[in-house]
């Protein structure tokens, strides 16, 4: 696999070539021993089973063996999905329940991904960065170290057009709740984006920006630094 996570052409090829899946979890009761659960993974009881398989295989089983099946229930959460979720078991970060992280995402050591956060393919999350509740990091979004992306904030993703640059958030940036950073914008190191801002232009280092569209309102000062400091304790593993 090519590891160039942020190249739009490589990501597009990855999606095009990926096997599209509709995974099903089937609960079934009946004459289980008479059913051939081909191409599926099955956990059997005496008269019940939990079955994992692709929709087309499950559909065929339910039709062929409808006389043997007394009742069933299906669970699924996607249709013809091209991108699996990221395997996070070995990632040295804190990832809370309900975070949705797609494959080909890079997450640095000590990062914190909170409930409901969505991180799309090709995104990069730096060490010690917090992606707060219900925030979104779009495709190819690049976020540096020790950043706080506030609750409900959006880092716009870019796959189309491929010539467009992704959002880049440099180290030590604080982005307030519900702020939106649009495609191609770079947020300079140490800057602060006020809650609810819509950022359509680059923000220089150590600047404070606010408004919709956001404007530079001042240079970061000691008072701002005190109000926006991050807590290392939240990032310790």
């Amino acid at each position: 696999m090519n590891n160039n996570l942020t190249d739009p052409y490589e990501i597009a090829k990855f999606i095009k070539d990926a096997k599209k899946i509709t995974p099903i979890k089937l609960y079934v009761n009946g004459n289980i021993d008479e059913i051939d659960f081909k191409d599926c993974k099955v956990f059997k009881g005496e008269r019940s089973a939990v079955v994992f398989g692709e929709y087309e295989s499950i559909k065929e089983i339910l039709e062929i063996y409808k006389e043997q099946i007394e009742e069933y229930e299906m669970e699924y959460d996607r249709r013809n999905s091209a991108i699996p979720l990221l395997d996070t078991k070995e990632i040295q970060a804190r990832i809370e329940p309900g975070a949705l992280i797609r494959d080909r995402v890079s997450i640095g050591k000590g990062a914190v991904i909170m409930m409901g956060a969505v991180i799309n393919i090709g995104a990069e999350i730096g060490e010690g960065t917090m992606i707060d509740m219900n925030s979104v990091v779009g495709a190819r979004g690049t976020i540096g170290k020790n950043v706080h992306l506030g609750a409900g904030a959006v880092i716009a993703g870019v796959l189309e057009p491929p010539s467009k640059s992704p959002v880049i958030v440099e180290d030590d940036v604080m982005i307030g709740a519900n702020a939106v950073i649009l495609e191609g914008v770079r947020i300079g190191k140490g800057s602060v984006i006020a809650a609810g801002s819509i950022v359509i232009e680059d923000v220089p280092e150590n600047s404070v920006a606010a408004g919709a569209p956001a404007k530079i309102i001042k240079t970061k000062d000691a008072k701002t630094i005190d109000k926006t400091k991050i807590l290392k304790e939240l990032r310790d593993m």
Side-chain angles (χ1 to χ4, degrees):
M1 179 185 292
N2 190 305
N3 290 319
N4 189 351
L5 302 179
T6 59
D7 183 275
Y9 295 99
E10 287 296 333
I11 292 174
K13 185 177 185 303
F14 173 76
I15 293 172
K16 176 180 179 293
D17 294 343
K19 180 181 178 181
K20 311 306 185 288
I21 61 171
T22 305
I24 300 291
K25 184 178 183 181
L26 175 71
Y27 302 88
V28 59
N29 292 328
N31 298 321
I32 302 302
D33 289 337
E34 298 180 17
I35 300 174
D36 179 8
F37 293 103
K38 62 178 181 178
D39 302 322
C40 296
K41 181 179 288 186
V42 186
F43 298 87
K44 282 186 177 182
E46 289 185 7
R47 290 185 52 80
S48 64
V50 180
V51 185
F52 296 87
E54 271 295 302
Y55 173 68
E56 295 304 325
S57 295
I58 296 291
K59 180 181 176 181
E60 183 179 359
I61 289 166
L62 293 175
E63 178 60 30
I64 293 173
Y65 298 100
K66 57 188 176 184
E67 298 300 325
Q68 287 79 18
I69 294 172
E70 296 174 3
E71 59 181 350
Y72 69 88
E73 189 71 36
M74 284 194 294
E75 292 182 359
Y76 62 96
D77 62 1
R78 70 203 76 181
R79 176 64 175 161
N80 291 326
S81 178
I83 308 171
L85 298 181
L86 182 68
D87 184 351
T88 60
K89 292 191 294 294
E90 300 298 325
I91 292 176
Q92 298 302 303
R94 177 158 65 89
I95 301 173
E96 297 295 348
L100 186 62
I101 307 170
R102 301 183 92 183
D103 197 21
R104 301 196 116 195
V105 165
S106 171
I107 299 177
K109 184 177 180 180
V112 178
I113 316 297
M114 294 295 286
M115 298 81 72
V118 176
I119 306 177
N120 206 355
I121 188 169
E124 297 183 1
I125 310 300
E127 293 182 8
T129 282
M130 178 179 287
I131 308 300
D132 215 334
M133 295 182 294
N134 299 317
S135 55
V136 175
V137 181
R140 302 172 62 215
T142 301
I143 300 181
K145 299 177 181 179
N146 300 315
V147 171
H148 183 103
L149 182 64
V154 175
I155 301 296
V158 183
L159 280 181
E160 294 179 320
S163 59
K164 193 76 172 179
S165 298
V167 172
I168 296 176
V169 178
E170 297 183 1
D171 298 348
D172 305 314
V173 168
M174 175 71 69
I175 298 176
N178 297 313
V180 177
I181 316 298
L182 294 186
E183 297 91 335
V185 168
R186 178 184 288 266
I187 308 297
K189 179 179 170 65
S191 289
V192 176
I193 309 300
S197 297
I198 300 177
V199 185
I200 63 174
E201 298 177 335
D202 291 356
V203 175
E205 290 187 8
N206 295 312
S207 299
V208 179
K215 303 293 183 184
I216 308 302
I217 59 173
K218 66 177 183 178
T219 299
K220 190 175 178 182
D221 54 23
K223 184 177 180 181
T224 305
I225 292 171
D226 183 62
K227 285 184 174 181
T228 58
K229 66 182 179 181
I230 66 172
L231 298 176
K232 184 177 182 298
E233 290 81 0
L234 294 177
R235 293 149 175 82
D236 287 342
M237 296 297 294

